[in-house]
Amino acid sequence: MSEYEIAQPTTGSLLTVTVTRRAIPMKYMLQFRENAEEQTKHKDPALQDAYFGGWGTYIGSIAQSGVMVSGEGLLSPDTATTLRIEDGTRQVSDGPFADIADIKEMLSGYVIIDVPDLDAALEWAAKAPCATAGSVEVRPVLPPPGE
């Protein structure tokens, strides 16, 4: 709650106005990006348990907190199909839009959370396993029209 003194334009007398700010929860998408080394852990039997265990603990804590709206992990970029429309013609190609060897970080999954503000979203992003071996992009979700 904040109080402000405002001078009335006609009389010059001061009015005290009290403003109450209420946090309005907002949805944020946490986009998880991993470097190539992290991506290889998916398939390495010696590293899979630790890799998926870390993610399981992280996602479990988000879900248990009640802020998780939805989320999914993604298969590696070599499983992607890319579509473009050029001159009205559909162009479909196997794989990602760029050569995998040139990509420094690959989108590996996302979670949508409903939290009071960006600071809360950043707190969750900082706990992601890929925050130290890639990055987490935090982006507000576009609200439905009229909200």
Side-chain angles (χ1 to χ4, degrees):
M1 186 169 10
S2 302
E3 288 191 354
Y4 301 93
E5 288 189 340
I6 301 171
Q8 289 184 333
T10 53
T11 65
S13 63
L14 293 178
L15 291 174
T16 300
V17 178
T18 303
V19 177
T20 304
R21 288 185 122 173
R22 194 181 93 204
I24 300 171
M26 179 156 194
K27 291 180 184 163
Y28 290 88
M29 176 182 272
L30 309 182
Q31 296 179 24
F32 306 121
R33 301 187 192 297
E34 295 179 319
N35 62 27
E37 184 180 333
E38 285 297 297
Q39 285 276 321
T40 62
K41 292 179 181 179
H42 296 210
K43 298 175 185 169
D44 185 336
L47 302 173
Q48 280 178 338
D49 287 346
Y51 173 84
F52 286 114
W55 277 105
T57 299
Y58 173 66
I59 298 299
S61 67
I62 294 175
Q64 208 167 32
S65 76
V67 301
M68 186 169 170
V69 175
S70 65
E72 298 288 340
L74 300 172
L75 293 176
S76 63
D78 61 341
T79 65
T81 302
T82 301
L83 172 105
R84 289 185 178 80
I85 305 290
E86 294 178 13
D87 298 321
T89 303
R90 182 187 291 197
Q91 306 291 323
V92 178
S93 59
D94 291 336
F97 64 91
D99 185 0
I100 291 176
D102 296 333
I103 301 173
K104 290 184 176 28
E105 295 177 353
M106 296 164 259
L107 182 62
S108 61
Y110 70 93
V111 170
I112 296 178
I113 57 175
D114 197 346
V115 294
D117 53 35
L118 177 60
D119 289 336
L122 290 171
E123 285 300 315
W124 283 111
K127 297 173 185 175
C130 66
T132 57
S135 64
V136 182
E137 180 178 337
V138 179
R139 190 183 298 188
V141 174
L142 186 64
E147 275 191 29

